[in-house]
Amino acid sequence: MKAVKTLGQFIIEKQADFPYAKGELSRLLRDIGIAAKIVNREVNKAGLADILGDAGTMNIQGEGQKKLDVYANEQFISALKCGGECCMVASEENDDCINIESDISKDAKYVVAIDPLDGSSNIDVNVGIGTIFSIYRRISTEGKADLKDVLQRGTEQVAAGYVIYGSSTMLVYTTGKGVNGFTLDPSIGEFCLSHPDLRIPDDGVIYSINEGYYSHFPDGVKKYIKYCQVEDTKTQRPYTSRYIGSMVADLHRNMIKGGIFIYPLTAAAPNGKLRLVYECNPMAFIIEQAGGKASNGYNRILELEVTELHQRTAIFIGSKNMVNKAEEMMACFSPQLIKKNFEGEVCLQ
Ligand code: P6P
């Protein structure tokens, strides 16, 4: 029997990388792993249990909540509350942050931002969906944790991860020392190390964007899409277009195979669609730790100022050479460069 390293064993083993760690973060990651297994159980039998379909409620985004959205949100909040290592949760499904301080967590050091079930529009059609989480150290010192504890720049994240409920269920996370992937073995109910030291290829031949919005895209995005579609054997173009409509699934594929995922500003989403705090920052932390790159087309995602809990951003994320090329195209149309071009500076081709 091949040696199996469970998530719990790995977390404890890696705790040694943090000399001052007293185990709180380890226990917090364990709590998230427990909730992921519970959610996985319901996702996997969604077609059988009365868990499909709309919950009949709307979240702050104005999006209809699915029953499984609400269920997943409740499970992660409950696991974090019972674990005692987290004092506040910011969730896509809740308008405001939720204080979960209790007798066992009144000294909790961490706050968690979470998208409990990303891609939920895919639930009813059996397409891969995911959970995204981001962990910060609490910075407030008086009273209860509050909004400023979670409105921290992405560079301040202590850990981040995602769970993908796909053909298999995987938990992928980083604590700033590389990225590791664990596959759930249902026969023993444990996440087992399956993808140690994950690295995203510097280059790829997959571009992932909802081309249905093409007419509303910024010119730089249109230019990049056309670049991807041009015949050029030297650079293995035309690239392949793959779009699942579930950020976690699209990014996980690109993590393994290489590729770029783009959700730019559009007419329907003038500030972007994806949320900075609990989608883009955690995914950017993970992808950067795996050797990739994440920007809004001009600036590093992790350095964007965070001003609102449900703040949105454009995102260009994946293989670093592909993100660099897309940024070159965006730069040709950035307000600053248009002025310089007028003064004769040649646009990067
Ligand atoms: P569109 C899912 O609703 C989500 O938040 C991401 O997971 C996904 O990448 C994106 O929205 C899909 O959006 O507009 O292409 O359907």
Side-chain angles (χ1 to χ4, degrees):
M1 179 176 174
K2 192 160 73 80
V4 165
K5 185 170 287 182
T6 67
L7 175 63
Q9 290 167 329
F10 184 87
I11 290 171
I12 296 298
E13 187 183 284
K14 290 299 175 186
Q15 185 176 304
D17 291 349
F18 300 88
Y20 305 107
K22 296 197 230 28
E24 296 100 331
L25 181 60
S26 299
R27 286 189 292 273
L28 180 51
L29 289 166
R30 173 210 61 195
D31 299 337
I32 289 172
I34 291 168
K37 286 192 273 192
I38 295 170
V39 170
N40 173 69
R41 185 185 60 198
E42 294 310 305
V43 167
N44 276 350
K45 64 182 182 186
L48 301 172
D50 177 26
I51 196 91
L52 277 179
D54 299 328
T57 52
M58 302 281 270
N59 62 20
I60 191 169
Q61 334 289 340
E63 296 163 344
Q65 290 175 306
K66 298 286 187 181
K67 289 178 185 171
L68 215 43
D69 276 332
V70 175
Y71 177 82
N73 195 39
E74 289 165 355
Q75 293 309 315
F76 279 99
I77 292 172
S78 170
L80 292 168
K81 191 176 287 186
C82 296
E85 301 301 346
C86 169
C87 56
M88 186 177 74
V89 178
S91 168
E92 184 202 35
E93 301 304 331
N94 297 92
D95 299 0
D96 304 306
C97 296
I98 305 160
N99 275 93
I100 55 173
E101 284 163 10
S102 64
D103 292 348
I104 60 168
S105 65
K106 60 185 183 309
D107 301 324
K109 289 165 51 176
Y110 297 107
V111 298
V112 173
I114 191 163
D115 183 355
L117 210 56
D118 175 69
S120 52
S121 56
N122 289 309
I123 293 173
D124 300 352
V125 295
N126 226 356
V127 168
I129 51 183
T131 296
I132 308 171
F133 63 89
S134 171
I135 301 173
Y136 289 94
R137 257 185 216 84
R138 173 181 178 171
I139 51 176
S140 60
T141 53
E142 302 292 323
K144 288 183 178 291
D146 60 26
L147 190 55
K148 69 169 169 294
D149 289 305
V150 83
L151 297 189
Q152 299 183 53
R153 273 188 171 74
T155 47
E156 300 307 305
Q157 291 175 94
V158 172
Y162 62 82
V163 182
I164 177 166
Y165 310 96
S167 47
S168 67
T169 295
M170 280 191 68
L171 188 149
V172 176
Y173 83 94
T174 182
T175 56
K177 291 181 179 288
V179 180
N180 290 282
F182 300 79
T183 300
L184 182 63
D185 179 341
S187 68
I188 57 172
E190 289 284 2
F191 281 107
C192 300
L193 183 63
S194 54
H195 296 69
D197 195 22
L198 265 171
R199 304 289 295 170
I200 183 169
D202 290 346
D203 266 311
V205 294
I206 295 171
Y207 72 103
S208 185
I209 186 170
N210 187 337
E211 294 189 60
Y213 304 140
Y214 182 86
S215 60
H216 299 306
F217 284 154
D219 288 340
V221 173
K222 291 179 179 176
K223 185 178 172 80
Y224 181 69
I225 290 173
K226 290 307 167 202
Y227 170 84
C228 293
Q229 295 170 345
V230 161
E231 189 88 30
D232 176 61
T233 48
K234 185 164 56 63
T235 54
Q236 296 181 280
R237 288 179 289 153
Y239 293 154
T240 296
S241 174
R242 287 281 184 277
Y243 192 73
I244 300 170
S246 181
M247 183 188 197
V248 171
D250 277 314
L251 262 67
H252 183 70
R253 178 204 56 238
N254 293 350
M255 170 79 90
I256 304 298
K257 294 180 174 242
I260 185 171
F261 172 89
I262 302 175
Y263 206 111
L265 306 184
T266 68
N271 297 312
K273 174 180 183 183
L274 301 179
R275 275 58 60 132
L276 179 58
V277 171
Y278 39 77
E279 290 174 331
C280 296
N281 264 336
M283 296 309 273
F285 186 21
I286 295 162
I287 290 290
E288 283 198 4
Q289 281 290 310
K293 187 170 183 181
S295 81
N296 62 3
Y298 304 103
N299 309 103
R300 186 183 179 211
I301 288 286
L302 292 183
E303 292 176 355
L304 295 178
E305 188 184 5
V306 186
T307 56
E308 291 170 33
L309 177 55
H310 301 289
Q311 177 176 340
R312 299 172 189 265
T313 179
I315 187 165
F316 297 64
I317 185 170
S319 296
K320 64 180 174 186
N321 295 345
M322 299 181 83
V323 175
N324 287 335
K325 178 58 76 175
E327 287 178 338
E328 278 179 27
M329 308 287 171
M330 294 300 285
C332 291
F333 299 91
S334 66
Q336 297 76 6
L337 207 64
I338 287 172
K339 180 173 173 300
K340 282 185 186 170
N341 279 352
F342 182 72
E343 291 153 8
E345 181 165 317
V346 177
C347 175
L348 300 165
Q349 290 308 316

